[in-house]
Amino acid sequence: MSRWHAVLCKPRREAVAEANLRNQGFEAYLPRMIGLRRKAGRWQHIIEPLFPRYLFLNAEDATRSLAPVRSTLGVTNLVRFCGAPAFVPPGVVEALRDAADPETGCHRFRVAPFAPGERVRFEAGPFKGLEGLFEMESGEARVVVLLDLIGKANRLTVSRDWLVAAS
């Protein structure tokens, strides 16, 4: 039976910590997810840690000291309760691995960039400067927006990159 610990990493250094722990002969698991971020005016898929600043370390060999983990590049410390390294409940890491996409090894979450009914503003395209209501996603890169034109709400399917949240 695997005995997993949670490891607290330095900010944005999870991948470095994982690589260095593996180089020391430890089994480490950093669950990742594919998320959406707006970068340079466009929505892009990025790979980021599922649990920022945390990864999992297998301590199956109870005779091996965990002391080197603290001084590993990218690691802050093991997660501890009452001074003792805490164990992750059995089956959690295995469930995370099973839930990951078999091709990429990443978790996928379909998250719309806006909530239904949220006010959005056009930053590009023929409706630049106008505001409307986000209705739903329509495919990978398009969304449906309700826009009030000439006193009537019109349903438009437009590029997701044209929109930002209205302030």
Side-chain angles (χ1 to χ4, degrees):
M1 181 95 195
S2 296
R3 295 173 48 162
W4 291 89
H5 291 284
V7 176
L8 177 65
C9 301
K10 293 182 178 170
R12 293 174 299 284
R13 304 294 283 172
E14 300 91 349
V16 170
E18 178 188 31
N20 286 314
L21 287 168
R22 287 182 184 210
N23 286 341
Q24 293 176 41
F26 289 104
E27 181 185 358
Y29 175 57
L30 175 61
R32 293 175 170 91
M33 71 174 196
I34 298 175
L36 276 177
R37 288 278 192 270
R38 193 168 179 90
K39 192 174 183 181
R42 297 187 58 93
W43 289 99
Q44 295 181 344
H45 292 280
I46 62 165
I47 296 175
E48 58 189 355
L50 183 61
F51 306 109
R53 294 197 65 192
Y54 292 93
L55 61 84
F56 299 101
L57 175 78
N58 190 350
E60 193 170 310
D61 182 8
T63 61
R64 184 167 183 185
S65 172
L66 295 176
V69 173
R70 281 185 32 208
S71 59
T72 300
L73 191 63
V75 171
T76 299
N77 207 340
L78 286 166
V79 174
R80 298 175 180 272
F81 294 116
C82 300
F87 288 104
V88 175
V92 170
V93 174
E94 290 78 8
L96 285 169
R97 283 185 165 165
D98 291 343
D101 182 356
E103 290 180 22
T104 63
C106 295
H107 295 266
R108 290 184 173 269
F109 297 100
R110 295 269 309 145
V111 178
F114 309 105
E118 183 178 350
R119 294 205 61 75
V120 292
R121 186 177 67 250
F122 284 87
E123 285 290 305
F127 304 107
K128 185 176 181 175
L130 296 177
E131 288 189 9
L133 292 177
F134 176 80
E135 187 174 51
M136 64 182 183
E137 283 191 279
S138 176
E140 190 68 27
R142 301 182 68 74
V143 294
V144 177
V145 177
L146 294 175
L147 187 63
D148 190 13
L149 294 172
I150 317 170
K152 179 183 173 196
N154 293 287
R155 186 172 277 123
L156 303 173
T157 303
V158 297
S159 171
R160 176 186 305 171
D161 297 330
W162 290 359
L163 303 174
V164 296
S167 354

